[in-house]
Amino acid sequence: MEILKKPLLTEKVTQLTEKLNRYAFKVDHRANKIQIKSAIETMYGVNITAVNTMKYVGKLKTRNTKAGAVQGRSATYKKAIITLKDGETIDFYSNI
């Protein structure tokens, strides 16, 4: 099971990073906080003070086609917000 799927880089997360030294990641829905913390610490070499997780249920999507209305659902995912120790950062743009 690959725990970290990808970092989330949105405007809202960028503000969290600048003000509170927090980063967001999409993670495997079966991963717990301890697994997420150890995966990030080994991959990026940082010290984490807190891990908060939240599950997002996929939205119901509907579109009209020639055959009628087609319904579907966007993917469900789990998001982790991690808080780093003061003075530490994660650089997503450097080559690892």
Side-chain angles (χ1 to χ4, degrees), residues 27-31 52-58 76-80:
V27 295
D28 189 273
H29 66 92
R30 295 167 292 186
N52 301 94
T53 60
M54 53 199 87
K55 288 187 176 183
Y56 282 91
V57 178
T76 301
Y77 64 95
K78 186 172 188 176
K79 182 166 82 170

Side-chain angles (χ1 to χ4, degrees), residues 22-42:
R22 292 183 174 186
Y23 295 86
F25 293 88
K26 261 191 185 179
V27 295
D28 189 273
H29 66 92
R30 295 167 292 186
N32 60 29
K33 291 182 180 185
I34 297 166
Q35 292 170 332
I36 294 167
K37 181 177 179 177
S38 64
I40 294 172
E41 284 179 342
T42 56

Side-chain angles (χ1 to χ4, degrees), residues 55-90:
K55 288 187 176 183
Y56 282 91
V57 178
K59 288 183 180 179
L60 188 64
K61 302 281 186 169
T62 305
R63 67 171 189 251
N64 293 317
T65 63
K66 290 180 184 177
V70 177
Q71 286 189 343
R73 187 174 285 278
S74 61
T76 301
Y77 64 95
K78 186 172 188 176
K79 182 166 82 170
I81 306 280
I82 58 128
T83 306
L84 294 183
K85 195 173 179 181
D86 288 339
E88 295 192 359
T89 60
I90 295 176

